[in-house]
Amino acid sequence: MTQITAARDGTVTPEMKIVAEKEGKTPEEIREGVASGRIAIPANVNHASLSPEGVGGGLRTKVNVNLGISGDLHDEEDEFAKVAVALELGAEGIMDLSNHGKTREFRRALIGMSSAMVGTVPMYDAIGYLEKALVDITVEDFLEVIRVHAQDGVDFATIHAGMNRRVIDSFKETGRLANIVSRGGSLIFAWMEATGNENPFYEHFDEVLAICREYDVTISIGDAMRPGSTYDASDAAQIAELIEIGKLARRAWDAGVQVMVEGPGHMALDEIAANMKLEKRLCHDAPFYVLGPLVTDIAPGYDHITAAIGGAVAAASGADFLCYVTPAEHLRLPDVNDVREGLVATKIAAHAADIAKGIPRARDIDNKMSDARRRIDWEEMFSHAIDPVKARRYFESAPPSTDGTCTMCGKMCAMRTVNTIMDGLTIDLDAR
């Protein structure tokens, strides 16, 4: 029994109860959301260390961290340091995007230690796992890799099933400035062009779903045609694929498999809200998982900011799950500091959106921070900060000469002044 089949049978699972407690909802509200497909609880039956999270309408916006071993930088110790930062800062999801060599040992270790849900893109692993040239990989090979990931305990798997021949024809006919920027999508496109076959994940979608159902893997239907340039956003190829994804989402639910839908990408600020509504409409309110969107293409080194801006608008407009972007985006594999900066920026975007959406209890922590600032309680302020380590480091790097203040205002601290007056005392503003 999967989460969605249990929900449809009227059963509240232990995972639903945990999500309800985290979200301030009743278990029945969560069950109803899962039953309808509006909420997904990615929870592979083999992921024993998981602390379940809900992704979907009416819930807190969740944040994902990407990491993994690459061909040029394949230091597992570095990647586990990134995992530690992700867990420390409260990322709800970690995607292992390893694409070099035999990655199964790393993936199993990650799943064994991670309380966050773990996702993968089996297509990335296919060439290294199978030790075959791309054009020699068969449909059975692709399915075998998905099964291995499912057996290992992966909670959600990105499967680029929506890019079928109809979508490819649309892409070729209309053209693009940046072509296909999805790594998985580009590999499938290359395989299709070389073999003349249909997308194997589209053509054999029922077999993919059978594997997912067996282990309760949530299928995250990948957007192979996501725009990698603001110029390409909302174009024919993107929308054509989204229409196909909407059809596949219904098939997955009918098969007892939970669904998330992946989205852009790069997108101008004024297009984001409409795209979020379009996804919800075409994909029947399935949870929406977006990368950014990055709202400009000219900020390498600062793309965590361009993505956080877009992510805040996206989540406030209906996106449910934000994939972080680091300062290293478009430049190199991120290091541990990049992971911290990217994750914090995305968590800010998610939290800001939750306040805007009126998510229950979202504003509580902000109110606590404001109260601590009024009382000038530095320790309490640090405890409420998204990144308490950085907040403390900044404060302690420039000790104030006046207790209870910081070096920005010193004796002229507004909080200190008003607190003193409200206590019936005289404030000392001697300029010396």
Side-chain angles (χ1 to χ4, degrees), residues 14 30 50 54 68 85 88 102 115 118 121 159 219 223 299 307 315 401 429:
I30 300 301
L50 177 68
V85 169
E88 171 201 338
K102 297 297 185 181
S115 56
V118 173
V121 187
I159 307 294
I219 186 167
D223 55 334
S401 58
L429 290 178

Side-chain angles (χ1 to χ4, degrees), residues 101-416:
K102 297 297 185 181
T103 63
R104 194 173 193 184
E105 182 179 343
F106 175 79
R107 181 170 60 250
R108 284 176 162 176
L110 169 61
I111 292 167
M113 69 184 292
S114 178
S115 56
M117 52 186 166
V118 173
T120 60
V121 187
M123 185 66 204
Y124 293 179
D125 191 33
I127 295 173
Y129 176 80
L130 296 167
E131 295 184 329
K132 287 185 176 182
L134 178 64
V135 296
D136 294 329
I137 298 176
T138 66
V139 170
E140 291 72 22
D141 290 333
F142 285 127
L143 294 175
E144 177 190 345
V145 177
I146 294 173
R147 178 172 291 280
V148 168
H149 283 228
Q151 289 172 340
D152 287 346
V154 169
D155 301 298
F156 64 98
T158 294
I159 307 294
H160 298 90
M163 186 184 66
N164 57 22
R165 281 289 174 193
R166 288 188 294 272
V167 174
I168 292 296
D169 289 343
S170 181
F171 160 65
K172 288 181 176 179
E173 182 179 355
T174 57
R176 271 188 164 182
L177 182 61
N179 288 326
I180 298 173
V181 301
S182 160
R183 186 194 306 170
S186 69
L187 293 172
I188 295 168
F189 174 75
W191 186 88
M192 292 170 67
E193 292 296 291
T195 64
N197 295 328
E198 178 60 277
N199 179 344
F201 302 116
Y202 174 79
E203 187 174 13
H204 298 272
F205 194 61
D206 290 338
E207 290 108 305
V208 173
L209 294 178
I211 297 169
C212 291
R213 173 161 179 159
E214 183 177 353
Y215 298 92
D216 201 0
V217 175
T218 297
I219 186 167
S220 190
I221 307 180
D223 55 334
M225 287 295 176
R226 73 170 182 267
S229 159
T230 55
Y231 182 88
D232 296 329
S234 308
D235 70 351
Q238 178 196 333
I239 304 306
E241 183 184 40
L242 190 61
I243 292 169
E244 299 296 334
I245 289 173
K247 300 173 188 176
L248 296 175
R250 282 198 181 278
R251 286 174 59 184
W253 286 328
D254 289 345
V257 175
Q258 298 184 99
V259 173
M260 296 191 295
V261 173
E262 299 185 13
H266 291 233
M267 184 165 285
L269 201 62
D270 63 326
E271 296 181 58
I272 295 173
N275 268 265
M276 300 306 107
K277 290 178 172 57
L278 186 63
E279 183 277 342
K280 291 290 184 176
R281 176 71 172 179
L282 293 178
C283 299
H284 324 293
D285 282 329
F288 201 19
Y289 174 28
V290 301
L291 176 71
L294 283 72
V295 296
T296 180
D297 303 320
I298 61 169
Y302 299 91
D303 275 330
H304 59 311
I305 298 174
T306 67
I309 293 169
V313 176
S317 303
D320 307 293
F321 195 13
L322 301 181
C323 185
Y324 89 153
V325 173
T326 77
E329 185 79 4
H330 301 110
L331 300 172
R332 61 168 169 79
L333 190 73
D335 62 22
V336 172
N337 290 328
D338 295 325
V339 169
R340 180 177 289 275
E341 292 294 314
L343 177 51
V344 170
T346 308
K347 285 183 69 67
I348 292 169
H351 183 64
D354 287 349
I355 293 174
K357 288 190 288 191
I359 296 296
R361 305 190 301 196
R363 195 186 291 270
D364 290 359
I365 190 71
D366 296 78
N367 294 341
K368 291 177 180 178
M369 175 66 89
S370 296
D371 183 61
R373 282 176 172 154
R374 176 184 58 81
R375 293 181 281 107
I376 320 179
D377 187 328
W378 293 104
E379 289 301 319
E380 188 174 337
M381 285 186 245
F382 298 146
S383 74
H384 297 317
I386 286 180
D387 185 354
V389 173
K390 186 172 185 177
R392 182 184 295 277
R393 185 175 75 246
Y394 268 55
F395 176 73
E396 293 179 350
S397 68
S401 58
T402 303
D403 289 342
T405 68
C406 75
T407 53
M408 172 66 78
C409 298
K411 286 184 177 181
M412 296 182 69
C413 171
M415 297 296 189
R416 175 176 178 268

Side-chain angles (χ1 to χ4, degrees), residues 3 6-7 10-35 38-39 41 59:
Q3 294 294 325
T11 300
V12 173
T13 65
E15 291 80 9
M16 293 176 200
K17 292 178 181 178
I18 292 171
V19 170
E21 176 64 26
K22 289 181 176 182
E23 300 287 344
K25 303 278 188 180
T26 66
E28 181 60 20
E29 287 176 311
I30 300 301
R31 186 200 66 77
E32 289 177 354
V34 174
R38 290 183 296 105
I39 294 174
I41 303 178
L59 308 183

